[in-house]
Amino acid sequence: MDQEERIALFLDYENLAISARDHLGGIPFELRPVADALAERGRVVVRRAYADWSYFDEDRRMLTRSHVELIDIPQRMGASRKNAADIKMVVDALEVAFERAYISTFVLCTGDSDFTPLVHKLRELNKRVIGVGVEKSTSALLPPACDEFLYYDRLEGVEIPPARTRPSRPVSPPEVVPEPQPAVETPMRDVDTLAALVAQTVAGLQRSSSGAVTASTLKRTLLRKDPTFNEADFGFRAFGELLRHLSGNNVVELTGSSAKGDPEVTLPEHGDREAAFALLRTVVFDLAGSDGSTALSGLKNQVRKVAPDFSEKKLGYRSFLQFCKAAATGGAVDLKWSADADDYLLTTNAQA
């Protein structure tokens, strides 16, 4: 238990309930999918929800059954109920951060960008921050500020009904194109793009760290690059399943580590990389002009004509130039800058 993350959950309930109703086909907000996702990340020790509960009678019963403390922010004449709830939630979150050092993770369930300064402050206090919001109503400013961001409509257990036309309204055809529809297109489905991202990340970690790159370190780094990253968007049930898929395709190699269930992740030292160097050498040799050289510009397109699935990023290189430099270091080609050509020139010879 000592190794568990202690989580404090704060719900901007009005934001969640209205967002679910307006953007997810009218479904009521349910806490269970959020609770299940957090159970995989640690132990929730604080649960608080903020709203004027006279507007959410049924929701109040659901939250009470889930042991959520309800903070009532009643509507006052001439005052903004929303601002009052936001301020109270911010004050309570900071109070918990200062008074309860054992709480390591704060979960802010809201899509409101007004909470971005709170996210920054909590991270300054060395707290991990996870955001949860409905995708269509979440401000673009909020997810990048968090350590991880979960879109409620993508969580396991959230079932969005198909959009239906409203016979009483002649303008219903435009609404038939449901607002949740972009959420289906938004998740990254291109496994090749994913492979390139993982290989590039592993290569960067290997260069910047003297220690082994474990699966957990890789996952944390991917989330730092994109807090909305979720392997489920690519069709994988778990991150380990994703890594095994990439290992089977020779994108990465997995070896055992001291931590059970947390394998070390490395890039293949040979195989695809050596084959790619050989491919580059062949293309350079075939394209070489009278002086025996070919320019870097346009060379990648020529390589792809021979091997359409070529991607330097799958091999862990950030750019084609970096790949060519690695090939030059390995002796497959020579690479030099030419002031006359204003470009890099690659050369090879038949004997090398």
Side-chain angles (χ1 to χ4, degrees):
M1 180 178 291
D2 290 339
Q3 301 302 318
E4 287 183 324
E5 294 288 324
R6 266 68 165 195
I7 299 174
L9 172 63
F10 293 86
L11 297 102
D12 178 10
Y13 198 79
E14 185 169 343
N15 178 278
L16 294 172
I18 293 177
S19 296
R21 182 194 66 194
D22 292 349
H23 299 288
L24 302 181
I27 65 172
F29 175 82
E30 292 287 343
L31 184 64
R32 174 52 56 191
V34 177
D36 288 346
L38 297 183
E40 299 168 358
R41 290 162 171 79
R43 178 173 166 232
V44 180
V45 296
V46 173
R47 301 176 180 87
R48 295 181 187 175
Y50 300 77
D52 183 341
W53 296 109
S54 63
Y55 290 86
F56 303 100
D57 193 49
E58 290 298 322
D59 306 64
R60 180 168 54 186
R61 294 185 179 90
M62 176 268 295
L63 292 169
T64 301
R65 288 194 296 269
S66 299
H67 309 288
V68 176
E69 180 183 358
L70 306 182
I71 310 299
D72 191 26
I73 310 294
Q75 184 174 10
R76 297 179 178 86
M77 189 67 66
S80 170
R81 184 179 72 254
K82 176 186 179 301
N83 287 344
D86 290 358
I87 293 171
K88 175 62 174 170
M89 182 168 149
V90 170
V91 170
D92 285 0
L94 290 175
E95 181 182 42
V96 169
F98 280 107
E99 293 187 351
R100 305 183 189 181
Y102 58 85
I103 293 180
S104 55
T105 301
F106 283 72
V107 179
L108 307 180
C109 293
T110 181
D112 193 340
S113 63
D114 289 349
F115 288 97
T116 304
L118 173 61
V119 173
H120 292 318
K121 181 56 66 176
L122 289 172
R123 295 187 68 184
E124 286 179 15
L125 296 172
N126 198 29
K127 305 298 183 182
R128 175 174 166 79
V129 181
I130 300 174
V132 181
V134 175
E135 187 167 7
K136 290 295 292 183
S137 63
T138 295
S139 167
L141 299 175
L142 190 58
C146 300
D147 292 293
E148 183 178 3
F149 198 92
L150 306 175
Y151 287 119
Y152 175 76
D153 20 342
R154 299 190 198 174
L155 294 179
E156 187 72 26
V158 177
E159 298 182 2
I160 304 173
R164 294 175 295 179
T165 59
R166 299 179 181 176
S168 60
R169 298 182 62 184
V171 294
S172 59
E175 296 180 1
V176 173
V177 181
E179 292 194 24
Q181 186 69 25
V184 177
E185 300 173 359
T186 299
M188 298 167 61
R189 302 290 182 181
D190 186 355
V191 179
D192 287 340
T193 301
L194 173 63
L197 174 64
V198 170
Q200 180 181 349
T201 303
V202 172
L205 288 171
Q206 288 179 331
R207 286 191 298 269
S208 62
S209 173
S210 58
V213 179
T214 63
S216 58
T217 300
L218 175 60
K219 177 68 178 287
R220 287 194 299 269
T221 305
L222 291 172
L223 284 171
R224 284 196 290 268
K225 288 185 173 184
D226 177 10
T228 66
F229 171 82
N230 189 336
E231 60 273 4
D233 293 340
F234 299 89
F236 299 98
R237 292 170 295 179
F239 191 64
E241 182 180 325
L242 162 62
L243 291 180
R244 288 191 293 273
H245 170 81
L246 296 179
S247 177
N249 285 275
N250 204 33
V251 176
V252 297
E253 290 182 349
L254 303 179
T255 57
S257 69
S258 57
K260 187 177 180 180
D262 193 14
E264 294 181 8
V265 186
T266 59
L267 293 177
E269 292 298 330
H270 303 287
D272 283 0
R273 192 174 299 187
E274 295 300 323
F277 289 166
L279 170 65
L280 176 66
R281 172 181 170 74
T282 299
V283 173
V284 170
F285 182 76
D286 291 343
L287 295 176
S290 57
D291 61 349
S293 67
T294 185
L296 178 68
S297 300
L299 181 58
K300 182 176 178 178
N301 291 335
Q302 297 299 323
V303 172
R304 281 184 166 170
K305 286 182 179 180
V306 178
D309 62 343
F310 170 81
S311 172
E312 72 279 358
K313 291 183 174 61
K314 285 184 182 180
L315 302 170
Y317 300 105
R318 295 182 179 179
S319 66
F320 187 66
L321 173 59
Q322 186 182 52
F323 165 73
C324 291
K325 288 181 177 179
T329 301
V333 295
D334 291 325
L335 178 70
K336 293 182 179 179
W337 173 259
S338 171
D340 294 335
D342 194 26
D343 198 355
Y344 283 98
L345 296 181
L346 291 89
T347 59
T348 185
N349 56 72
Q351 290 77 25

